[in-house]
């Protein structure tokens, strides 16, 4: 007979209630008389101690967080070097990028682009109805199915590379002892390893000083929307606000951006700030510049369901006393490091002023044997950065001797904004270059033109879709220290330009390459 139910033993001296797993051996229970029964019970208890979920498991490498960084790091350590590795993941495998970041964003961007192309078709004499109908809810279902598949792909990848996935919430008991509160409610397990990596990412901020701020949403909630609302307010001025505003606008939503200043993307070059803000206004996004701010958010009517904000009614009381009504309010005001559950204070870990985990150039934290990568360090909050940092760390910790000094070089990291149109950058902005080298040492190459695609457009769209490039060079050799691009398909082109700038190309290298005509990118090798 199998004892199918779990048995619980209480061991006073350990103050532990240890759940034993279902045991299959029953002989130690049945065969003995009373005296033997006790022996049998002791034997059974001893043997079941071996079989119960071990309260402490040991690894070479514990990775906290199964997002881009944690996955990249664990796969390098285990898949390449055979380190006994586990990933502790409290949410869905793949982390922010797969579940509420890059993947759902890019798929939604692609859908919005199709709608934009349909609208543009009439300039190329397509007889396409003004508002071609689409089923946003059906699209969301397809998108969510892909994400679910990705969750599985990640877990399959990890299993194939002998990485143990432990679903639960990790907390430090001591520098190399992690307690996991198991997601299946089966209690806790304790893991130990000489090397522990923190890759717990970040979370989107909501204001704490605005009454009713909780009635607004963040990018994490954005993707649960299955029905487009009529009127959408976005507060914030970075990547997320600009990407989401562009997508919603392309999908026919009335979009309002509340900016604290007069431009968005203010961490980018002034050219991108100026041209993109103007382009968004020309494309119909209503930008409230130097906005007085929101004093209170009143929920006039709750949404009938989380996925349908079209029924939601919010009234925004602004600091100047005026009021503004909308269906949805998205806070896109930045992200903070996800360290709450880790209890890193218990182990005395050094944190930056915004709570990011402080690391050196080798991703070492202030505690020996504990490392951190990705958004939780705030170094450069991008998926490929998290992955690359994790891979380099794996090379250094578990790779061959020649890789013992591996570390990620954070200079000249390219990135793009999936805006309308795209914009992308690598290296220094013009103000940064002037600050670093002095105005007299730098040379700016700039061009702004209408891409041929728009030549057959009628006004005003014909002149509203700028393509604009800026290349910043320094010194006599004219090394390229910054490249800033605006235009359709810049997101795809930027990878190659990122390599060009990363390898230290000079202006003469651009001039030496024959142009590809007719393309927009040819303007980068034919600067006057
Ligand atoms: C809307 C949006 C769009 C984006 N678009 C892009 C883009 O186009 N390109 C790009 O490069 N980047 C993009 N990013 C940024 C990118 O998603 C992040 O830089 C990247 O996911 C960071 O990876 P990470 O491994 O540091 O953290 P994450 O991917 O966030 O992974 C951290 C994981 O740790 C888990 N975790 C946290 N605490 C614990 C704990 N105590 N115990 C167990 N598990 C825990 C979390 O559940 C999570 O799964 C976007 C971000 C957002 C929000
Ligand atoms: N395509 C990509 O690669 C993407 C990357 N990401 C990553 O995720 C990170 C987070 O993105 P995001 O959330 O947009 O954050 P960002 O930090 O990029 O931008 C947030 C902006 O909102 C404004 N802001 C800050 N606080 C407030 C406030 N209280 N009220 C109003 N506005 C405020 C600030 O601009 P200002 O000072 O001008 O007001 C700030 O720059 C990005 O930095 C990027 O690394 C995210 C999406 C896409
Ligand atoms: N990058 C191409 C392919 C798309 C792609 O890379 N999709 C990923 C999800 S993107 S979001 C997930 C993200 N993947 C990547 O960023 C892959 C980038 C490049 N292939 C690399 O290996 O570095 C990540 O977190 N990686 C951590 C890890 O792989 O351990 C995927 O399908 N992955 C399934 C698989 O890899 O089999 C594109 O954008 O079209």
């Amino acid at each position: 007979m199998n004892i199918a139910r779990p048995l619980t033993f209480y061991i006073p001296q350990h103050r532990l209630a240890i759940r034993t797993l279902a045991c299959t051996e029953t002989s130690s229970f049945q065969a003995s008389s009373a005296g033997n029964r006790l022996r049998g019970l002791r034997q059974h208890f001893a043997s079941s101690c071996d079989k119960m979920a071990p309260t402490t498991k040991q690894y070479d490498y514990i990775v906290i967080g199964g997002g881009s960084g944690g996955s990249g790091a664990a796969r390098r350590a285990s898949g390449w070097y055979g380190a006994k590795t586990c990933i502790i993941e409290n949410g869905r495998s793949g982390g922010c990028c797969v579940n509420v970041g890059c993947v759902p964003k890019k798929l939604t961007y692609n859908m919005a682009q199709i709608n934009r192309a349909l609208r543009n078709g009439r300039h190329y004499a397509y007889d396409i109805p003004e508002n071609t109908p689409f089923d946003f809810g059906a699209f969301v279902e397809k998108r969510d199915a892909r994400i679910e598949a990705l969750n599985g792909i990640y877990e399959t990848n990890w299993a194939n590379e002998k990485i143990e996935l432990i679903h639960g919430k990790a907390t430090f008991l001591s520098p190399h002892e992690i307690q996991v509160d198991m997601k299946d409610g089966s209690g806790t397990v304790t893991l130990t390893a000489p090397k522990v990596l923190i890759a717990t990412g970040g979370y989107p901020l909501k204001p704490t000083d605005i009454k009713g701020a909780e009635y607004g949403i963040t990018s994490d909630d954005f993707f649960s929307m299955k029905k487009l609302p009529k009127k959408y307010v976005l507060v914030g001025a970075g990547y997320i606000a600009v990407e989401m505003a562009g997508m919603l606008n392309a999908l026919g939503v009335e979009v309002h951006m509340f900016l604290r200043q007069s431009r968005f993307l203010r961490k980018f070059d002034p050219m991108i700030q100026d041209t993109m803000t103007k382009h968004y206004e020309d494309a119909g996004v209503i930008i409230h510049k130097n906005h007085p701010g929101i004093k209170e958010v009143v929920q006039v009517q709750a949404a009938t369901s989380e996925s349908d904000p079209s029924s939601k009614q919010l009234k925004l009381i602004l600091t100047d006393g005026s009021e503004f009504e909308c269906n949805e309010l998205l806070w896109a005001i930045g992200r903070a490091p996800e360290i709450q559950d880790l209890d890193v204070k218990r182990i005395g870990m050094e944190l930056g002023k915004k709570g990011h985990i402080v690391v050196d150039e080798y991703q070492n934290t202030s505690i020996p044997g504990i490392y951190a990568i990705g958004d939780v360090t705030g170094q450069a909050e991008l998926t490929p950065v998290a992955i690359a940092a994790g891979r380099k760390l794996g090379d250094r910790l578990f790779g061959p001797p020649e890789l013992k000094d591996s570390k990620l070089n954070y200079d000249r990291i390219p990135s793009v904004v999936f805006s309308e149109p795209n914009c992308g950058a690598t290296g220094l902005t013009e103000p940064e270059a002037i600050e670093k080298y002095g105005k007299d040492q730098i040379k700016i190459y700039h061009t702004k033109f209408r891409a041929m695609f728009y030549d057959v457009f009628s006004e005003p769209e014909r002149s509203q879709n700028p393509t604009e490039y800026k290349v910043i060079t320094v010194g006599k050799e004219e090394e390229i220290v910054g490249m800033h691009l605006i235009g359709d398909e810049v997101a795809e082109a930027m990878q190659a330009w990122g390599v060009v700038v990363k390898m230290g190309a000079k202006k003469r290298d651009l001039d030496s390459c024959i142009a590809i005509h007719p393309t927009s990118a040819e303007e980068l090798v034919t600067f006057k």
Side-chain angles (χ1 to χ4, degrees):
M1 174 191 76
N2 285 348
I3 300 173
R5 68 190 182 291
L7 299 172
T8 302
F9 290 85
Y10 185 75
I11 312 174
Q13 68 272 32
H14 293 297
R15 290 190 304 286
L16 274 180
I18 293 181
R19 288 170 63 81
T20 66
L21 296 181
C23 311
T24 48
E25 294 82 37
T26 54
S27 55
S28 57
F29 261 93
Q30 287 173 326
S32 62
S33 62
N36 289 342
R37 263 186 80 70
L38 190 61
R39 202 175 15 264
L41 194 62
R42 252 195 232 113
Q43 269 173 356
H44 174 82
F45 177 67
S47 71
S48 62
C49 269
D50 301 338
K51 286 185 189 51
M52 66 184 158
T55 52
T56 302
K57 292 184 80 171
Q58 289 174 344
Y59 297 89
D60 299 327
Y61 197 30
I62 293 173
V63 174
I64 305 175
S68 298
S71 179
R75 292 177 72 180
R76 181 56 55 93
S78 179
W80 281 35
Y81 303 121
K84 187 181 177 192
T85 305
C86 72
I87 287 177
I88 307 169
E89 173 49 60
N90 194 23
R92 295 174 66 177
S93 299
C96 174
C97 182
V98 169
N99 296 294
V100 288
C102 335
V103 177
K105 179 276 302 288
K106 186 67 184 298
L107 293 172
T108 309
Y109 165 83
N110 295 337
M111 198 252 181
Q113 284 292 85
I114 292 167
N115 207 41
R116 184 169 174 259
L118 288 169
R119 272 212 309 276
N120 287 339
R122 59 195 168 86
H123 295 291
Y124 275 78
Y126 277 84
D127 180 13
I128 299 172
E130 183 63 27
N131 294 311
T132 310
F134 58 81
D135 182 343
F136 189 71
F139 157 71
V140 169
E141 277 171 28
K142 291 188 81 168
R143 182 191 70 198
D144 291 352
R146 171 60 188 162
I147 289 168
E148 206 169 316
L150 276 174
N151 299 143
I153 288 171
Y154 274 81
E155 294 179 9
T156 306
N157 285 341
W158 296 337
N160 292 341
E161 293 175 20
K162 299 192 178 21
I163 297 161
E164 187 177 352
L165 170 59
I166 298 173
H167 268 300
K169 183 174 69 181
T171 306
F172 278 93
L173 294 176
S174 68
H176 297 280
E177 206 182 4
I178 314 291
Q179 175 174 290
V180 184
D181 183 1
M182 299 302 285
K183 207 166 170 75
D184 63 7
S186 60
T188 62
V189 290
T190 304
L191 314 179
T192 63
K195 295 179 172 59
V196 178
L197 171 63
I198 301 173
T200 51
Y203 63 91
L205 289 166
K206 275 186 181 176
T208 51
D209 57 350
I210 295 176
K211 189 168 174 241
E214 67 278 8
Y215 295 124
I217 64 167
T218 69
S219 56
D220 282 2
D221 318 300
F222 177 84
F223 297 108
S224 56
M225 171 175 69
K226 286 196 170 150
K227 210 162 159 226
L228 294 169
K230 279 197 174 45
K231 195 172 173 185
Y232 214 110
V233 167
L234 296 103
V235 177
Y239 284 82
I240 292 179
V242 172
E243 290 186 340
M244 300 219 168
M247 291 188 272
L248 291 166
N249 181 54
L251 290 168
V253 176
E254 181 186 326
V255 177
H256 295 260
M257 292 183 82
F258 287 4
L259 301 187
R260 290 190 300 192
Q261 311 287 330
S262 60
R263 299 280 179 277
F264 51 52
L265 295 178
R266 288 190 322 114
K267 295 173 186 168
F268 284 75
D269 187 87
M271 175 195 91
I272 286 184
Q273 296 177 40
D274 296 343
T275 300
M276 287 306 299
T277 305
K278 167 91 176 58
H279 178 77
Y280 263 48
E281 289 179 304
D282 289 346
V285 175
I286 302 148
I287 300 185
H288 305 249
K289 299 177 180 178
N290 307 307
H291 188 269
I294 298 169
K295 189 170 72 173
E296 183 181 354
V297 180
V298 177
Q299 178 162 263
V300 176
Q301 179 181 304
T304 48
S305 81
E306 189 204 46
S307 60
D308 174 11
S310 61
S311 53
K312 188 172 173 180
Q313 284 296 331
L314 294 176
K315 182 163 67 178
L316 312 181
I317 317 287
L318 309 187
T319 56
D320 61 5
S322 61
E323 297 183 355
F324 193 91
E325 301 215 336
C326 61
N327 296 121
E328 190 58 280
L329 164 66
L330 187 138
W331 301 109
I333 59 173
R335 294 170 62 79
E338 182 65 80
I339 57 167
Q340 281 68 15
D341 298 328
L342 293 174
D343 197 1
V344 287
K345 286 214 168 63
R346 176 196 295 213
I347 57 175
M349 184 171 285
E350 187 189 349
L351 300 176
K353 57 184 187 312
K354 290 185 175 176
H356 293 99
I357 296 182
V358 174
V359 290
D360 67 13
E361 57 186 330
Y362 289 98
Q363 311 302 145
N364 297 313
T365 68
S366 58
I367 313 278
I370 305 183
Y371 316 92
I373 60 165
D375 287 12
V376 78
T377 69
Q379 287 173 293
E381 299 171 25
L382 299 166
T383 271
V385 171
I387 296 172
R391 289 172 173 166
K392 287 285 182 191
L393 182 64
D395 289 341
R396 181 169 72 86
L397 298 181
F398 303 102
E402 61 270 25
L403 295 180
K404 66 178 176 33
D405 289 328
S406 292
K407 61 183 177 181
L408 181 62
N409 176 323
Y410 284 83
D411 291 341
R412 300 185 184 181
I413 294 174
S415 98
V416 297
V417 184
F418 291 94
S419 47
E420 290 295 331
N422 298 163
C423 55
T426 186
L428 302 174
T429 63
E430 186 173 342
E432 288 167 343
I434 291 171
E435 167 82 20
K436 184 168 181 180
Y437 298 105
K439 199 168 175 56
D440 59 333
Q441 284 301 307
I442 67 158
K443 196 163 181 193
I444 305 289
Y445 293 87
H446 172 256
T447 180
K448 187 170 186 175
F449 58 96
R450 182 186 62 241
M452 188 186 282
F453 177 74
Y454 298 100
D455 283 359
V456 294
F457 273 50
S458 38
E459 290 301 352
E461 292 89 342
R462 191 166 191 271
S463 37
Q464 279 181 347
N465 289 278
T467 297
E468 191 169 10
Y469 302 144
K470 178 190 278 188
V471 173
I472 302 168
T473 69
V474 67
K476 270 204 333 303
E477 284 297 289
E478 288 206 274
E479 178 183 353
I480 301 168
V481 294
M483 190 178 267
H484 310 273
L485 312 178
I486 295 173
D488 294 332
E489 283 94 56
V490 152
E492 282 299 334
M494 197 69 219
Q495 188 65 76
W497 293 117
V499 173
V500 165
V501 175
K502 182 78 178 174
M503 63 192 282
K506 315 286 189 295
K507 168 66 169 58
R508 62 173 177 269
D509 296 315
L510 299 184
D511 300 341
S512 72
C513 186
I514 296 296
I516 303 169
H517 183 76
T519 64
S520 297
E522 66 181 312
E523 301 301 326
L524 280 158
V525 297
T526 54
F527 275 115
K528 307 291 177 286

